[in-house]
Each structure stands twice: as structure tokens, then as C-alpha cells.
């Protein structure tokens, strides 16, 4: 056994959420390659070509595949104070593409190898109680951001430590035409 900066070889191999290559072994890259691509990073033959790859509009089938295959430790990942990956994937998997996820993956060559969701989009069809509510950038007395987030986090059992950094009402982000409007939540 050897040590690097006080870390054993065994600890180095375990890394943040599993042994090096767990995102490849569990099919993460194949799943996110089927979501809408981003301009940041590419995936070829199930492998990333860069150490950071964004993905957009991951739907219910992809979310279920990830839930079924990634290590339990990785499901606890959260973007800053956002919900845990597991709660976001469950919400997405259960709602037939009426909940979409965007985020990024970190490749196996980095010690922080992972998949992270930083964006949640929820169709208006799933939360009709939010109709007529508005979120204002000024967050004045007419802003309903707290009500919107409380309703959505309760409805989907999301375990965030804090409200999102951005809440807006709009069509889902991405290049694919979107006919439905919904609520967009983003954690920096």
C-alpha cells in the first residue's frame, strides 16, 4: 500500500461515489447520450470525449435506467443545496416525460466522477394549482416563488436543503420543440 497526500491506494480507487469508471460500468454515459445533447462535451460510443459533459431534457425512461443502475452513494449527489439525485430521478421516472432533468456528468479520469442534476422542469399539467402564480426577479410582494417551490417540492417529495437559485415559468429548455409550458428550477 502506498500513500499520496495521506490517502491510501484503496481510498484513491474508491473515490467520490465509487471505483474509477463507475459511470461507464453503470451505463450513465449511454443514458445521457440519448438525452438532448448540449454544446458542452460529447459522448461517442458510450464514452465521454471530455471530462465534463452537459445533458438536457433527460426523460422518464433514462431516469428509471439510472435509478436501476447507479451506485447508492451516487444517488445522494446534490447540486449545492438542491434535491438529492435520487429524489429528482424518481420524480422524473414516475411522470412520463412531464418532468425533465438537465445537468452534467464528470468523466472517470477525474476523482469527482459523477452525474449531477442542476435543472428540473415540471409540466403545468402536473401542478395545476400553480396556475396564475408569478415569479418576479425583484421578489417583491407579488412574487410567488416560495409558494411555487413549496408546492413542487411537496408534490414530488424533493429533499432540497434550500430553494432553487432560479425559478421561471416557460417551455422546457432545449432544441426539441416543446408544446407544453411548465416550471423551471435551477440550482447554481
Amino acid at each position: 500500500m502506498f500513500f499520496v497526500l495521506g490517502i491510501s491506494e484503496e481510498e484513491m480507487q474508491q473515490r467520490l461515489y465509487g471505483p474509477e469508471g463507475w459511470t461507464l460500468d453503470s451505463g450513465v454515459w449511454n443514458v445521457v447520450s440519448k438525452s438532448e445533447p448540449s454544446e458542452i462535451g460529447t459522448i461517442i460510443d458510450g464514452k465521454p470525449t471530455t471530462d465534463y459533459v452537459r445533458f438536457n431534457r433527460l426523460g422518464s425512461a433514462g431516469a428509471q435506467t439510472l435509478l436501476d443502475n447507479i451506485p447508492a452513494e451516487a444517488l445522494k449527489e446534490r447540486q449545492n443545496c438542491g434535491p438529492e439525485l435520487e429524489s429528482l430521478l424518481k420524480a422524473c421516472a414516475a411522470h412520463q416525460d412531464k418532468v425533465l432533468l438537465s445537468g452534467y456528468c464528470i468523466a472517470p479520469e477525474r476523482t469527482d466522477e459523477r452525474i449531477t442534476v442542476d435543472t428540473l422542469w415540471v409540466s403545468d399539467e402536473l401542478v395545476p394549482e400553480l396556475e396564475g402564480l408569478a415569479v418576479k426577479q425583484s421578489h417583491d410582494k407579488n412574487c410567488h416563488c416560495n409558494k411555487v417551490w413549496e408546492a413542487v417540492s411537496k408534490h414530488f417529495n424533493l429533499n432540497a436543503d434550500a430553494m432553487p437559485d432560479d425559478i421561471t415559468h416557460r417551455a422546457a429548455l432545449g432544441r426539441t420543440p416543446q408544446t407544453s409550458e411548465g416550471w423551471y428550477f435551477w440550482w447554481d
Side-chain angles (χ1 to χ4, degrees):
M1 181 183 304
F2 72 93
F3 291 89
V4 177
L5 299 176
I7 300 171
S8 71
E9 182 178 6
E10 182 179 316
E11 290 170 317
M12 284 294 288
Q13 289 178 349
Q14 181 58 32
R15 300 157 49 108
L16 193 59
Y17 296 115
E20 182 175 347
W22 73 263
T23 56
L24 292 168
D25 297 341
S26 60
V28 168
W29 298 99
N30 286 321
V31 171
V32 299
S33 71
K34 294 173 183 156
S35 69
E36 188 167 293
S38 170
E39 290 80 32
I40 302 174
T42 56
I43 302 166
I44 298 174
D45 297 328
K47 294 181 181 172
T49 61
T50 58
D51 69 345
Y52 173 90
V53 177
R54 281 208 60 83
F55 63 90
N56 294 313
R57 297 171 56 124
L58 178 73
S60 55
Q64 187 62 57
T65 300
L66 291 173
L67 277 169
D68 292 344
N69 290 292
I70 65 175
E73 313 87 65
L75 292 172
K76 302 302 176 205
E77 164 64 17
R78 63 174 74 224
Q79 175 69 15
N80 295 327
C81 294
E84 288 182 354
L85 179 61
E86 182 175 26
S87 69
L88 291 163
L89 290 173
K90 284 181 177 180
C92 185
H95 292 93
Q96 198 57 42
D97 299 332
K98 302 285 185 198
V99 173
L100 300 173
L101 305 174
S102 298
Y104 60 91
C105 295
I106 301 298
E109 61 265 18
R110 288 184 35 181
T111 58
D112 59 340
E113 176 182 12
R114 68 184 180 279
I115 177 171
T116 297
V117 170
D118 59 14
T119 306
L120 164 71
W121 180 85
V122 177
S123 172
D124 283 342
E125 296 173 42
L126 297 179
V127 284
E129 66 269 28
L130 301 181
E131 186 175 344
L133 295 182
V135 174
K136 313 263 186 195
Q137 282 192 337
S138 62
H139 298 293
D140 61 19
K141 65 181 181 171
N142 297 316
C143 181
H144 300 114
C145 59
N146 287 326
K147 286 182 184 178
V148 169
W149 176 241
E150 286 172 16
V152 168
S153 62
K154 183 178 179 182
H155 184 90
F156 296 103
N157 198 31
L158 300 174
N159 59 351
D161 290 337
M163 282 186 51
D165 295 296
D166 187 22
I167 301 174
T168 36
H169 187 262
R170 62 176 175 220
L173 294 177
R175 290 183 225 124
T176 306
Q178 181 69 30
T179 57
S180 179
E181 291 282 316
W183 290 93
Y184 162 89
F185 305 90
W186 175 76
W187 289 266
D188 185 10

